[in-house]
Structures are given as C-alpha cells and as structure tokens.
Amino acid sequence: MDWKIDNDICIKCGGCVSVCPFGALELKDNVLLNEELCNLCGICEKACPVSAIEVEK
Amino acid sequence: MIDVIIIGAGPAGSSCAKRLAENGFSVKIYDRREELGVPVRCGEGLSETTEKLIGKIPDNCISQRTKGARVYAPNGKYLEAVLEYGGFVLNRRVFDKWLAEQAVKVGAEIQKNTLITDFIKEDGYYKGVKGEGFEEKAKMIVCATGAESALRKALNIFSKLNLIDSCLQYKMSGIDIDSDFIHIYVGNEIAPRGYIWVFPKGKDKANVGAGIIPGKRNAKYYLDKFVNDHQELKKGKIDLVEGGCVPVGGLLENMVDNGLLICGEAAHHVNPIHGGGIKEAIISGQLAADVIIECLKKGDVSKKALSKFNDLWWERRGKHLKRVEKLREVIEKLSDKDLNDLAEALRPEDIIEFSRGAKLSVLAKALMRKPSLIKLAKHLL
C-alpha cells in the first residue's frame, strides 16, 4: 500500500476529497487518508490540480 | 429539539436555512470554517438572473460588473455575448457571509468552526449529527457540505460521480485585461475537455483559472502555460492559489433518505458545461426547503415523503442539466479546427441562448450554417 502526499505542493483545496469514490480522504489541516477505506484506485492522483499525490499499487 | 440541522453554510445551506426560518421553523447551520466564504474554491462568476432568486445582491459582494462574456476559439477569434442585464464577478468572501446573514436575520442560527464528522442514526432514520465532543438531534438533516466532504458516503454518492473538472486558479494583480467581460478560452491544447477563465475583479485584477478533465497533465500545467503565453497576464503577480475538483457528471436520481436530504454541490448540482454551481446551489437549497416545510407540517420525513425533492429538482433543473451534459459530450469531441469553425458559425445570441438553457436543436441549427459542422449537428438531433 503506497499513498503519498507532498504537503509542500498540496494547496489544501480538497479536490481529492471530492473525487475519492470510497470516502477515504478528509481535509483537516492537511489531507488525511483512511487506509482501511482506500482502494489505491488513483483517482485522487489524477484529479489533483497540482500533482501532489502519488499512488503506487 | 430543533426542526432542521443543515451542514454547510454555503449558497445551498444558507438559502435553504433562510426559507425554512422564514416559514417559522427552527434551523441550525453548522459550518466547519472559521470564516464563511473562505477559502474560496470558485471562479466567482455569476449571471444576473440569480437576483431573481435571492433579491438584490449588495454592491460590496460584487468585485466586478460585466457586460457579458467573450469566448475565444483556439485561433484567438472571439465571440462576444452581451447579456441584457450583464453579470457579476462576486467576492465570495463577502457574498457567502451576506447570504448567511439573510438566514440569520429571519431566525436561523449558525455555528462556525464546527466539523460534523458523522450522523446519528436510529431506527433507519437520520436523527442528528455528531462532531468532536458533541451530538445534536433534529427532526431533519440537510447535507449541504459541497463536494469535498466525506459525510457524503452516507448516501453512497461517490459511486455516482463519473466526471470531474480538476481546477486551479490564480488570483492575479497587476495584469492588463478588458474588465467589461469575462473571458473564456477553449481548445484542446489550451485546456483539454475544459477551459481557461479570466474573470476580472477590478481594473488590473482577475481570477485566472484552468479547469480540465484529468488526463496526462495537471491543471497547473495548462494554467502556467496560458499565463506564460499571455504577456498581459505574465507581467502580473499571483497573489493567491486556489483549487478544487468540481463534480460535472453524475446527477443523482435519489437525493434523500429517511430524515436526510442532500443538496447543492454535495449532490452534484453543478452546471456540467461550465462547472458553475452557485446558482444551482441556491435553487436546490430553496427547493429542498419547500419540500422539508411540507414534510415537517405533515410530520413525515420518510424517504418516500422527501422523495418529492427528487421529483421537483429533476423537473426544475435535472432535465435541463441532462441536456447540458449531452451538449458537453458533443463539444468535447470537437477538434481545434471544429472549434474555430464553430466560433465562426455561432452568433452571439446563440451563446446567450445556450447559457439560458436553449434546446439542443437551436445549437444544431447554428451548426448547420457551416458545412464542416453538419455532421456534428446531426449528433444533436
């Protein structure tokens, strides 16, 4: 399981939270991942407007 | 126990709250933000017709009044659509607060800085909300959180989302633009399956953004490229970076459950072609209130009773937005050459008609004027 976010690049817009099909992400001060719900589908990686997320299956 | 808890004090939540409170129902809105309207995740453009829904928008909510829109084809030629009443570029920081105040004035309560993390569910009914260290019950819950809330998993909405616009926006100053118009740039190289917007906010300021369907490159790539290619923007300064993803595909057949209704962007109530959501949110919040009022009066907030919202919303907005979705599908298939031809074939009044929700046949007729576009026109009929 490998889901990474670069918090220096992330602009905290919450776009990834909007698109996650599993409700696995939440935006607090940073974007937080609920590993139990994450399916590593990679939609958040694609949707991020600044490419701050990296997902490896 | 209060009548209705609304989660989210954006345009949907505040419009819903105002109408409920006006009708004598007790309403409490929870919002996670310290300051309503911040951060902005929006291009802030709005058509004048919204005032028919919420009354006159005060001047301090408006950053810029515009005459209309200029839509630029890939070759740089533009169509100018002058609207009868013009349009606005809002200051959402002020607008959202004003809209919420309208609800408070008639009796709604707002509690900011409070993140709702879960629902209270009993006997198959949504009965309240949970946050950090507290719970509150109500007869009815409205979820108006916008798209970026994990709460939406309650209705399994995520699985319905099938198209998103990934957006990045720079708030720029020191630029040189014609502030009488909003400017829209289309083209497969410029913003694949989306567009670039320049929405003026005063003489030398604008929201400059890119919205694309995610592909090989991100929104930032296209936005930076656009700014670099335009001297009038390049000379300016980026004061703020904003972003977000807009649900532009996946309208929901069902938006209610026992004791729960979902509206606004949380329910994907967004115009699928331009991604605008303020007006849709207001309409959906008001419709939600109408249905809730009726249900609370009858003492029945079952899924069956609330499903009147589904019927009303689909009748008033859904059908139209479905047509717009179809239009989007056609436009997305266009090559840059097609787009250039289209810009020549269309007349300004066509653009105004589409933005108002003209039938696809009107567009088809316009396309017929250009031989190269006849094939496309047939797709629409």
Side-chain angles (χ1 to χ4, degrees):
Chain A
M1 169 120 190
D2 210 3
W3 182 95
K4 277 188 275 184
I5 187 158
D6 186 331
N7 278 312
D8 293 333
I9 297 176
C10 172
I11 57 167
K12 329 291 175 204
C13 72
C16 52
V17 182
S18 311
V19 303
C20 174
F22 308 101
L25 294 168
E26 196 160 344
L27 178 65
K28 291 197 172 163
D29 288 337
N30 287 319
V31 174
L32 304 176
L33 176 78
N34 181 336
E35 290 194 12
E36 273 170 40
L37 296 178
C38 177
N39 227 354
L40 293 177
C41 69
I43 288 178
C44 54
E45 181 184 24
K46 273 189 100 175
C48 176
V50 293
S51 301
I53 298 173
E54 207 180 311
V55 181
E56 268 174 49
K57 284 196 181 176
Chain B
M1 195 193 337
I2 58 167
D3 295 317
V4 184
I5 288 175
I6 298 175
I7 313 165
S14 292
S15 309
C16 183
K18 179 178 184 242
R19 190 162 287 191
L20 288 168
E22 277 173 341
N23 281 276
F25 293 90
S26 55
V27 190
K28 185 163 184 180
I29 316 182
Y30 284 101
D31 197 283
R32 61 181 293 167
R33 295 167 293 183
E34 272 175 53
E35 188 186 342
L36 298 184
V38 183
V40 176
R41 291 187 179 119
C42 178
E44 303 181 294
L46 190 66
S47 82
E48 247 260 353
T49 52
T50 312
E51 288 195 325
K52 286 189 187 137
L53 301 166
I54 52 172
K56 196 177 163 1
I57 299 171
D59 286 342
N60 65 343
C61 298
I62 297 166
S63 295
Q64 179 75 47
R65 287 177 192 275
T66 60
K67 291 180 188 159
R70 280 185 187 156
V71 183
Y72 297 75
N75 63 9
K77 276 194 188 159
Y78 65 80
L79 276 171
E80 189 173 285
V82 178
L83 299 168
E84 195 181 342
Y85 302 104
F88 308 124
V89 181
L90 291 174
N91 180 345
R92 285 287 302 268
R93 283 168 173 264
V94 183
F95 177 74
D96 282 34
K97 290 182 190 84
W98 172 74
L99 214 51
E101 252 166 50
Q102 304 308 300
V104 171
K105 270 187 194 160
V106 289
E109 192 191 333
I110 297 188
Q111 183 173 323
K112 290 181 281 186
N113 223 350
T114 309
L115 179 67
I116 301 299
T117 51
D118 206 353
F119 297 101
I120 302 171
K121 229 179 150 181
E122 285 167 11
D123 312 322
Y125 271 76
Y126 288 85
K127 292 269 170 103
V129 296
K130 295 179 192 173
E132 209 171 301
F134 82 99
E135 290 189 358
E136 179 160 14
K137 286 192 170 181
K139 292 178 189 156
M140 173 79 213
I141 315 296
V142 174
C143 180
T145 55
E148 77 249 11
S149 167
L151 279 178
R152 300 188 308 136
K153 65 182 156 223
L155 279 173
N156 197 25
I157 285 167
F158 302 116
S159 59
K160 309 286 193 305
L161 182 58
N162 56 33
L163 197 65
I164 53 159
D165 263 339
S166 175
C167 303
L168 191 69
Q169 172 169 282
Y170 296 149
K171 278 203 152 59
M172 299 191 73
S173 59
I175 57 177
D176 192 8
I177 47 162
D178 184 339
S179 55
D180 279 340
F181 292 88
I182 61 166
H183 306 269
I184 307 270
Y185 298 80
V186 297
N188 294 297
E189 302 290 322
I190 290 170
R193 302 174 69 190
Y195 65 93
I196 298 263
W197 64 86
V198 179
F199 288 178
K201 296 194 66 147
K203 222 177 156 195
D204 62 347
K205 291 194 179 93
N207 289 338
V208 184
I212 56 155
I213 303 293
K216 270 189 199 146
R217 294 190 163 108
N218 63 21
K220 186 174 191 300
Y221 169 86
Y222 293 100
L223 184 54
D224 286 340
K225 187 167 177 288
F226 186 83
V227 169
N228 263 315
D229 288 350
H230 289 77
Q231 274 311 318
E232 69 276 19
L233 299 175
K234 199 181 171 185
K235 67 179 196 178
K237 191 169 145 264
I238 297 169
D239 297 319
L240 197 62
V241 180
E242 299 164 334
C245 291
V246 184
V248 288
L251 297 173
L252 309 164
E253 293 297 328
N254 176 46
M255 300 164 275
V256 299
D257 202 339
N258 293 324
L260 179 72
L261 184 149
I262 187 157
C263 63
E265 196 199 50
H268 307 164
H269 293 165
V270 168
N271 184 304
I273 210 158
H274 54 62
I278 303 170
K279 189 175 160 190
E280 295 302 333
I282 291 167
I283 296 173
S284 112
Q286 290 178 342
L287 277 180
D290 290 341
V291 172
I292 292 168
I293 289 166
E294 210 182 297
C295 290
L296 284 176
K297 277 183 181 161
K298 287 182 189 156
D300 181 3
V301 292
S302 65
K303 182 174 176 181
K304 191 166 174 251
L306 288 169
S307 71
K308 194 170 176 202
F309 177 67
N310 295 331
D311 303 338
L312 278 179
W313 185 85
W314 273 95
E315 183 55 40
R316 177 129 174 238
R317 299 310 299 161
K319 273 193 205 162
H320 165 61
L321 296 183
K322 259 298 190 234
R323 280 201 300 269
V324 178
E325 256 182 20
K326 198 176 166 197
L327 180 62
R328 176 181 182 127
E329 280 165 28
V330 172
I331 290 177
E332 276 193 349
K333 290 195 184 98
L334 301 180
S335 66
D336 280 4
K337 186 191 171 295
D338 290 337
L339 285 167
N340 291 336
D341 287 350
L342 182 63
E344 257 178 59
L346 286 176
R347 294 168 187 159
E349 58 267 30
D350 295 329
I351 300 215
I352 295 170
E353 276 212 57
F354 303 142
S355 68
R356 289 203 184 129
K359 295 214 169 78
L360 293 177
S361 57
V362 177
L363 176 64
K365 231 181 257 169
L367 296 180
M368 293 290 202
R369 287 183 215 129
K370 197 91 188 166
S372 63
L373 295 170
I374 288 175
K375 213 172 115 194
L376 183 70
K378 283 179 183 156
H379 280 292
L380 289 171
L381 296 169

